[in-house]
Amino acid sequence: MNRSYIHAISWRLIALISSVLSGLVVAALYTRHFSKEMATVLLAALNVMGYLPLFDGGFRTVANRRLLISTSEVEKSRIIEVCQSLYSALAIVFFVAAEVLVSVYATTPNPREAGVPYVFFVVMGLVAALNIICGSQMGLLLGLGAQKQMFILQTLIAWVTLGALQFWLHAGYGYWSLPIAYLSQLVVIWPVTVIMIKRIRPGIKLFGWNFGHDFRAIIGDMWTEAWACFRSQASILLLFSLDQFFIGAYCKSSAAYLVLARFFAYVRSMLQSIGEVSWPLIAQKEEMGHKWGMPLLRLNGWIYGAVLGSMVLTLPGFVLRFATNEYEVSPTILLLLVGRFLITGLSSPVSYFLFGMGDFVQVARRIERELVLAVVIAIPFVYHRSAEGVAAAFLVATFVGTLFPLMSDYARRIGHSAWSIFGQVWWRGLLSFGLSVSLSFLILQFEIRGYALVMVGAVAALGTLLLPVVWAYTRAPRMNGLQWLQRARLIVEHL
């Protein structure tokens, strides 16, 4: 771990905390300004729009990895020029794909019964496509070695979107506030993105139309990796959105599930920062994946268990206070989601590590099998419009597809025992989870309610994490005279 890693992960955490806080307020705005049925339709529509980034075919991730490992400025310039031409052409694809997606969603039962006009979905699709085009340019910052700048932009996006949505809702524009808010965000973020890119690469052309020999050669060279990357990205996105689509489109009284899933998505995004920030560094120095993979996996196990454990008892009451009594959380739904996110959370860094090592194909195969299994098991429950059944189907698929296989692939890559890695991660995750639940239970005996439940969860999670930190401190060598970064490195190594 070096200073660039610490700076990158710090800004990633700032961006994610901003995203979580603004997302919580946005979710509250939905529940306060719209009926339960309308909130269900709008939240599911946003999930559908989340499919759009997939239409880049996985080329951005592969191109960024090539840029990070390349030592030739000429080669970097060729890759950047080809990518800018590719994304200029993909802009058309984004617009077409957006309209197809929203058109399909608009025909499902819940949107039709809610009475939302078709033109609303058309406008949402157009605005979403514009934001994806901006986001594709923002993604170039990663390949240029500017992770920190990209995370600064993500922080701005969170707060600008919240401010715009709040303004237009209070102005009385109802559900039309959504596309107007996202358009307002674009007006602010696009110029800032351009300025940041130009500062790093002054002569860059943001759009191009050069499809000559270089374009065909580089795209052909990246095709295999990009296709595997696309498959894995598509499968991951579908795994974490198809359940919400099925429930939002077909299951009645399902708004609570969508709100809960959104909370867990925010938490998952925050906690997977370790892997997300690590893969570009592993791409540049694969030995980092061998040296720091296990310490980071153990750290992730402690953190994930503590955070999810603190949510089990505090989240239902918080959602009720945060939204309205119509959003009462089913204990069954909550436990199914906690189980699923615990499994995926303890394994998520492994996928990023394998990406950094260029092993896109194996990750894609694993996730595709899990996705197929989830859909097959869920179909009967969709037919019977059972939210609990759909949630259980996706949990079973996650148990089969993610619990052990991904760790096995990573262990094979670095020459370790898969069962050793699995055991080291899971005993820490489960112990941390149990301690956090117990600590939450003890604190809740003081009859704490409402927004104060956030503090209960935070105290339970942080209190639980003190145990492994103290344990690691006692096992580490003497730290007298060491700088704080060296001390942190030793503690992480001995967690």
Side-chain angles (χ1 to χ4, degrees), residues 223-245:
W223 173 256
T224 301
E225 288 184 348
W227 175 241
C229 183
F230 165 75
R231 286 161 48 200
S232 59
Q233 289 173 341
S235 299
I236 290 171
L237 181 56
L238 289 169
L239 270 174
F240 289 100
S241 61
L242 266 186
D243 59 330
Q244 297 176 54
F245 173 77

Side-chain angles (χ1 to χ4, degrees), residues 291-473:
K291 179 181 179 181
W292 282 102
M294 276 312 303
L296 292 177
L297 280 172
R298 292 194 294 263
L299 172 63
N300 182 71
W302 286 116
I303 293 174
Y304 234 102
V307 173
L308 285 183
S310 71
M311 294 172 69
V312 170
L313 299 180
T314 58
L315 188 56
F318 177 70
V319 170
L320 279 178
R321 178 65 183 87
F322 182 75
T324 69
N325 289 333
E326 291 181 320
Y327 292 82
E328 186 170 359
V329 175
S330 159
T332 303
I333 288 287
L334 177 64
L335 291 176
L336 290 170
L337 281 170
V338 167
R340 184 182 175 200
F341 278 87
L342 183 61
I343 295 172
T344 56
L346 295 186
S347 304
S348 64
V350 171
S351 298
Y352 285 107
F353 295 166
L354 290 171
F355 270 19
M357 296 174 180
D359 200 352
F360 298 104
V361 175
Q362 189 60 24
V363 175
R365 288 173 180 166
R366 295 294 188 191
I367 299 169
E368 284 170 344
R369 292 168 188 168
E370 181 179 336
L371 174 62
V372 170
L373 181 62
V375 172
V376 169
I377 300 174
I379 286 175
F381 298 106
V382 174
Y383 178 77
H384 291 290
R385 307 183 84 166
S386 167
E388 287 83 359
V390 172
F394 277 78
L395 171 59
V396 170
T398 299
F399 183 89
V400 173
T402 297
L403 184 65
F404 184 76
L406 280 174
M407 287 191 185
S408 175
D409 294 334
Y410 176 66
R412 193 179 306 113
R413 183 65 186 256
I414 64 173
H416 278 45
S417 163
W419 285 108
S420 173
I421 294 176
F422 181 83
Q424 289 184 60
V425 172
W426 271 90
W427 80 254
R428 288 169 171 81
L430 291 176
L431 175 61
S432 185
F433 181 87
L435 290 172
S436 187
V437 171
S438 302
L439 189 53
S440 298
F441 177 79
L442 292 175
I443 299 173
L444 288 173
Q445 301 310 302
F446 293 97
E447 300 293 327
I448 300 172
R449 297 289 182 270
Y451 292 126
L453 289 171
V454 175
M455 293 305 301
V456 174
V459 170
L462 293 173
T464 299
L465 289 174
L466 280 176
L467 173 66
V469 170
V470 172
W471 180 56
Y473 189 88

Side-chain angles (χ1 to χ4, degrees), residues 116-404:
V116 181
Y118 176 73
V119 68
F120 167 79
F121 294 106
V122 171
V123 174
M124 274 293 291
L126 292 173
V127 173
L130 288 170
N131 276 277
I132 295 300
I133 293 167
C134 176
S136 68
Q137 296 291 344
M138 191 189 306
L140 177 61
L141 289 168
L142 182 60
L144 296 175
Q147 280 198 87
K148 184 175 78 171
Q149 287 87 333
M150 188 176 72
F151 298 145
I152 291 172
L153 282 172
Q154 291 175 354
T155 304
L156 286 174
I157 287 172
W159 296 114
V160 171
T161 304
L162 171 61
L165 183 61
Q166 201 159 19
F167 175 84
W168 293 110
L169 280 172
H170 285 295
Y173 282 81
Y175 53 75
W176 284 105
S177 301
L178 271 73
I180 298 174
Y182 286 108
L183 188 60
S184 303
Q185 171 217 104
L186 186 69
V187 170
V188 175
I189 298 301
W190 176 251
V192 180
T193 302
V194 172
I195 291 170
M196 285 187 171
I197 293 174
K198 293 277 190 182
R199 281 183 177 176
I200 301 170
R201 206 89 181 179
I204 193 172
K205 294 180 180 179
L206 295 177
F207 294 96
W209 208 255
N210 183 1
F211 301 104
H213 175 74
D214 264 5
F215 181 88
R216 294 190 297 272
I218 291 177
I219 293 297
D221 185 45
M222 291 194 297
W223 173 256
T224 301
E225 288 184 348
W227 175 241
C229 183
F230 165 75
R231 286 161 48 200
S232 59
Q233 289 173 341
S235 299
I236 290 171
L237 181 56
L238 289 169
L239 270 174
F240 289 100
S241 61
L242 266 186
D243 59 330
Q244 297 176 54
F245 173 77
F246 288 152
I247 290 171
Y250 296 99
C251 302
K252 291 294 185 183
S253 303
S254 55
Y257 181 93
L258 297 178
V259 171
L260 272 182
R262 211 161 182 81
F263 274 94
F264 279 106
Y266 292 140
V267 172
R268 182 173 65 90
S269 295
M270 183 180 297
L271 297 183
Q272 70 185 19
S273 297
I274 291 174
E276 190 173 349
V277 174
S278 297
W279 85 257
L281 302 177
I282 292 174
Q284 293 173 294
K285 297 180 181 179
E286 186 170 323
E287 61 270 19
M288 180 182 170
H290 294 259
K291 179 181 179 181
W292 282 102
M294 276 312 303
L296 292 177
L297 280 172
R298 292 194 294 263
L299 172 63
N300 182 71
W302 286 116
I303 293 174
Y304 234 102
V307 173
L308 285 183
S310 71
M311 294 172 69
V312 170
L313 299 180
T314 58
L315 188 56
F318 177 70
V319 170
L320 279 178
R321 178 65 183 87
F322 182 75
T324 69
N325 289 333
E326 291 181 320
Y327 292 82
E328 186 170 359
V329 175
S330 159
T332 303
I333 288 287
L334 177 64
L335 291 176
L336 290 170
L337 281 170
V338 167
R340 184 182 175 200
F341 278 87
L342 183 61
I343 295 172
T344 56
L346 295 186
S347 304
S348 64
V350 171
S351 298
Y352 285 107
F353 295 166
L354 290 171
F355 270 19
M357 296 174 180
D359 200 352
F360 298 104
V361 175
Q362 189 60 24
V363 175
R365 288 173 180 166
R366 295 294 188 191
I367 299 169
E368 284 170 344
R369 292 168 188 168
E370 181 179 336
L371 174 62
V372 170
L373 181 62
V375 172
V376 169
I377 300 174
I379 286 175
F381 298 106
V382 174
Y383 178 77
H384 291 290
R385 307 183 84 166
S386 167
E388 287 83 359
V390 172
F394 277 78
L395 171 59
V396 170
T398 299
F399 183 89
V400 173
T402 297
L403 184 65
F404 184 76

